[in-house]
Amino acid sequence: VREREIVLGAEHADVALSRHNLGSLLRERGELEKARSLLDAAVEALEAAHGADDLRTANAFNSLALLHKDAGDLRAAHRLLLRAAKPRVRQLGMAHPDSAATLHCLAELARLQGDEQRALSIQRDLLTALREAGVTPSDELLAAAGASHPPAADAPKP
């Protein structure tokens, strides 16, 4: 990241993507404080360079949300996941893996916050979108939505 900052400048969008990647790796390794500073900087720079509706910015919002979830700050995680979900769903559709992962995480957060009805609603909407797109939902999603695999005769046709 430092070398890219020297060559491109600290606020360059490519440097922000490098910060995002390194911050995500550090989060996965459990180094939350180091990851937070990198992800905060990445979100700020990507939003300034590309806007809040850009998918690169949405990816950074999602990564920062996961960090806040890992740290136990569910309110911040929820706010950031909403910011990630809006452009993803609008541009990619609900059935796209990135959108589906964000929506599934929003449902998990609702469940952790004690709002089972909101969690079920999100999961069921996601399940419907996946089935309409001809995607076979995971067993985890089916269980979370209180559903089961449709019989073969009822399965969506490609």
Side-chain angles (χ1 to χ4, degrees):
V1 174
R2 286 186 198 124
E3 290 174 5
R4 294 194 96 179
E5 286 177 346
I6 292 167
V7 173
L8 300 172
E11 300 306 314
H12 194 279
D14 287 347
V15 174
L17 290 173
S18 294
R19 284 189 189 113
H20 172 242
N21 292 337
L22 181 56
S24 294
L25 175 66
L26 291 171
R27 181 195 67 82
E28 289 176 15
R29 290 178 46 183
E31 298 179 44
L32 301 184
E33 285 309 311
K34 290 178 185 175
R36 178 175 292 156
S37 65
L38 288 165
L39 291 171
D40 280 337
V43 164
E44 186 177 322
L46 288 167
E47 191 170 18
H50 302 296
D53 290 332
D54 186 84
L55 292 174
R56 291 165 288 199
T57 307
N59 291 342
F61 283 138
N62 195 81
S63 295
L64 187 57
L66 294 175
L67 181 140
H68 282 282
K69 181 180 177 244
D70 292 349
D73 187 353
L74 303 183
R75 191 172 290 162
H78 181 260
R79 179 181 50 81
L80 290 161
L81 281 172
L82 287 175
R83 294 189 75 185
K86 288 177 185 177
R88 283 179 165 183
V89 170
R90 186 173 50 255
Q91 294 174 45
L92 304 172
M94 281 182 80
H96 187 278
D98 290 345
S99 301
T102 299
L103 293 170
H104 184 68
C105 195
L106 274 168
E108 286 181 29
L109 278 178
R111 204 168 265 116
L112 288 171
Q113 293 171 318
D115 193 344
E116 188 67 28
Q117 289 305 313
R118 186 170 50 124
L120 280 172
S121 176
I122 294 167
Q123 295 289 22
R124 288 181 178 148
D125 288 347
L126 179 54
L127 183 59
T128 299
L130 291 171
R131 284 182 170 159
E132 287 174 357
V135 175
T136 302
S138 69
D139 289 336
E140 178 185 3
L141 176 59
L142 289 167
S148 62
H149 281 288
D154 296 338
K157 306 291 186 255

